[in-house]
Amino acid sequence: MPDIETAKKQIAELRERLSYHSYRYYALDSPEISDAEYDRMMVDLRSLEEQHPELITPDSPTQRVGAAPLAEFGTVEHPKPLLSLANVFSDDELLAWHKRISNLVPNQAMDFVCELKMDGLAVALTYVDGKLMRGATRGDGFRGEDIKQNLRTIKSIPLAVPKNAPRKFEVRGEVYLSKKGFEKLNRERAAEELPLFANPRNAAAGSLRQLDPRVTARRPLDIYIYAIGYIDDPSVKAPATHWEMMEYLKSLGFRISPYSAKTANIDEATRYYHRWCDWREKLDFEADGVVIKVNSLALQETLGAVGHDPRWAVAYKFPAIQATTKLLDIGINVGRTGSLNPYAILEPVSVSGVTIKRATLHNEEDIRRKGLRIGDTVIVQRAGDVIPEIVAPVISKRTGEEKEFVMPDRCPSCGSEVYKSADEAAARCTNASCPAQLHRLVEHFVSRNAMDIDGVGEKIAASLISNGLVKDASDLYYLTKEQLLTINGIEEKSANNMLEAIDESKGRSLERLIFALGIRHVGAEIADILANHFGSIDALSQATEEELTQIPAIGPKIAGSIVAFFQKAVNRSIIERLEQAGVALKEREGAKKDLPFKGQQFVLTGTLASFTRSEAETRIKALGGGVGSSVSKKTTYVVAGADPGSKLEKARKLGVKIIGEDEFLKLIK
């Protein structure tokens, strides 16, 4: 282990190099090193910080994730309001806006900056003495929600800025989810039978408003900075134009849109808009228009605002991407937990260059709410330019031949009865041995985010099931080469590769196995939380609903589903057979096994003088401990600061040891 002074120097060098390469990668899209080299540096930094936890600081690249879930978001006031933009929808309306502002500043030459209007969530980031100190949503423009811990998880947001940055300043940007990220997130939610996000904006907003920052961290969010809020530093001379300001922010490490353009007049700005009307499909993010801003910051100040809208900027919105077609029929897919999932079968129609034949319908209630009938002419849009969605029927085109949809009372796969409880939107097949459920469950088990068994795709899974070789997921680990060679399309080489992939999967991490089991409502994020908390399938299987609901992000519905899963004899049998086959059912030994707080659980209450809440939690976790949001018999220590809450009384009742800040400081040292 290096001595403290050597470690300080090595840590400082690694942080500086990682910050530089993060800037090259996320802000400039011009990396100088491979992902593997970057990962190696991060591993080295984590190792040094684990050896010297007293050197961990909140702005370290290793600390993007780690804050405990929040009880709720605090409210912050914006020193300078975050105004919304007025919209225009035609060239004539844009010219009318230009004429109005020109009349307010007669005889003034005016150039513009044009930017794509990203469809995400506006945020304000405040930096003080080089550190990210606050991150807030727009809210009502005057007050927003404090979501700094979640924003810290976004890798393109600098946690620290160079020494030449203003002492205190605020930047404003749009947090967004790429189209690929949105598709991936909705695929995962569909697999978990959770409601799908309607568009990338909803997904980005929902991701940022998670009370548990670890959930936000798993969402592929990104940001583009589009404005300066204010600079509070008399020693810094602010640039004269918006364009120069963006270049200045880029030099400080912020990610600036590469699609912006400076235009000499309003005619050039209009042409910029029409070009992007044609090119918007090429973007990997949602844009719903073009923002046109007066370039001169002095003119912006002179023009001011009217109501909640600045006079010096306007949003020229893109036309909606929709088309009409015929709803030919409504089909049913059976999910891995037996849910009957309706989907629309459409007369093929081209929407923005993509031929659409099917669209999501979510559930029976969605069909009823929209008033859809088979045979309707319907309006279809690519929601978020990604997922085809039926907006509404065109009632004026009905002929009387249309039919109302009736959810089948028998499973289309196995013919068993269908049941729908009063508290759920989905109807379900009651047959646990339904072939469609088994097929979907095996597909899920072998999928990349689960056990990642290469070679067992949809067709192979169907063949293994139809030939009676796989009756549940554990059967995969008992397949022989001779059995595989009886399947049409599998030859000796592919059989060997498949068996190697199955054998390799036995060592997958615990969170992957928990996710692979297909427990209802347990997705990849929840599986990770469960694996970290329990450490083994055996411990998880014995957990009660009460114990489960004490874990952040685990509510009564998820807890009930987990307990019900392990109560079923068939599921316990599957787990036993997985263990007999050599599948790892425990968390792998981590690097923190010898740390002093290993196995200890802390709960913080009140205000600490030496740390913020998140800094104290970071120290505890760096020493191998866990931090809980509520006191239970499993709590090792309750750390009581000034003005402690009700947790203190609960700790006394349960006999949990209570320590003050001084004793806590001795422990961590």
Side-chain angles (χ1 to χ4, degrees), residues 454-481:
D454 192 32
V456 187
E458 183 179 349
K459 290 182 180 178
I460 296 298
S463 296
L464 292 171
I465 292 166
S466 63
N467 283 274
L469 298 179
V470 170
K471 297 182 176 65
D472 62 57
S474 68
D475 285 336
L476 290 166
Y477 294 94
Y478 294 88
L479 291 170
T480 64
K481 184 196 288 189

Side-chain angles (χ1 to χ4, degrees), residues 4-299:
I4 190 74
E5 292 304 320
T6 303
K8 275 184 184 178
K9 184 178 179 181
Q10 292 173 342
I11 285 172
E13 289 176 354
L14 282 167
R15 287 177 182 171
E16 185 176 352
R17 290 169 64 196
L18 284 163
S19 295
Y20 171 75
H21 289 297
S22 290
Y23 171 65
R24 298 287 311 180
Y25 186 91
Y26 293 107
L28 302 183
D29 291 321
S30 180
E32 292 180 345
I33 61 173
S34 68
D35 290 353
E37 289 176 87
Y38 183 93
D39 291 342
R40 278 196 295 273
M41 282 194 287
M42 185 67 82
V43 168
D44 290 344
L45 179 58
R46 285 187 193 280
S47 176
L48 283 167
E49 289 182 344
E50 285 175 359
Q51 293 171 44
H52 296 278
E54 68 275 15
L55 298 181
I56 296 175
T57 59
D59 61 312
S60 171
T62 63
Q63 301 303 300
R64 287 198 177 271
V65 191
L70 304 174
E72 59 182 6
F73 295 113
T75 301
V76 295
E77 292 198 13
H78 299 302
K80 185 177 178 181
L82 271 78
L83 302 178
S84 56
L85 293 172
N87 296 324
V88 298
F89 298 92
S90 68
D91 290 358
D92 289 342
E93 290 182 9
L94 180 64
L95 292 173
W97 167 78
H98 180 251
K99 184 177 180 180
R100 284 195 302 273
I101 62 172
S102 297
N103 289 338
L104 291 172
V105 285
N107 304 316
Q108 288 275 5
M110 219 182 276
D111 63 341
F112 301 91
V113 174
C114 297
E115 301 167 345
L116 291 173
K117 186 176 181 298
M118 305 188 69
D119 200 12
L121 192 74
V123 298
L125 309 173
T126 304
Y127 290 81
V128 181
D129 295 330
K131 304 291 191 295
L132 175 64
M133 297 302 293
R134 194 174 82 173
T137 61
R138 180 201 297 275
D140 63 4
F142 300 94
R143 288 168 298 277
E145 290 177 316
D146 184 358
I147 57 168
K148 184 185 86 168
Q149 297 298 351
N150 288 350
L151 289 169
R152 283 171 57 86
T153 70
I154 300 173
K155 293 179 180 178
S156 46
I157 293 179
L159 300 180
V161 290
K163 294 177 181 178
N164 63 330
R167 189 195 69 80
K168 183 178 181 181
F169 67 104
E170 179 198 84
V171 296
R172 291 163 178 190
E174 195 84 358
V175 174
Y176 70 96
L177 194 65
S178 70
K179 293 177 182 177
K180 288 180 181 176
F182 174 64
E183 288 176 337
K184 180 176 181 290
L185 179 58
N186 261 352
R187 280 197 305 271
E188 291 171 354
R189 291 180 71 84
E192 297 161 23
E193 299 186 2
L194 294 172
L196 302 186
F197 287 114
N199 51 56
R201 187 196 181 283
N202 286 5
S207 299
L208 274 183
R209 297 194 74 260
Q210 295 288 329
L211 292 177
D212 188 346
R214 293 170 296 184
V215 176
T216 307
R218 296 186 187 95
R219 308 276 173 87
L221 297 172
D222 217 327
I223 192 171
Y224 277 125
I225 300 300
Y226 62 75
I228 192 83
Y230 63 85
I231 294 177
D232 183 5
D233 188 339
S235 68
V236 174
K237 184 180 179 181
T241 67
H242 177 74
W243 185 263
E244 292 168 351
M245 182 65 80
M246 290 299 96
E247 289 298 308
Y248 173 60
L249 291 178
K250 184 177 180 180
S251 74
L252 295 180
F254 293 99
R255 191 165 185 253
I256 307 302
S257 172
Y259 306 103
S260 302
K262 187 165 58 170
T263 62
N265 51 53
I266 199 65
D267 290 336
E268 285 187 13
T270 306
R271 288 196 289 273
Y272 175 94
Y273 166 82
H274 286 291
R275 282 198 300 273
W276 278 107
C277 281
D278 297 330
W279 295 348
R280 60 188 287 204
E281 285 294 316
K282 299 176 182 178
L283 296 168
D284 188 38
F285 57 82
E286 270 311 299
D288 60 355
V290 167
V291 177
I292 301 171
K293 301 176 179 179
V294 172
N295 190 25
S296 166
L297 296 180
L299 276 181

Side-chain angles (χ1 to χ4, degrees), residues 332-340 411-414 429 431-443 465:
I332 299 289
N333 275 327
V334 181
R336 60 182 167 84
T337 61
S339 62
L340 272 60
C411 173
S413 173
C414 68
C429 169
N431 177 16
S433 300
C434 172
Q437 290 183 54
L438 176 58
H439 189 181
R440 300 296 175 205
L441 183 55
V442 171
E443 280 183 27
I465 292 166

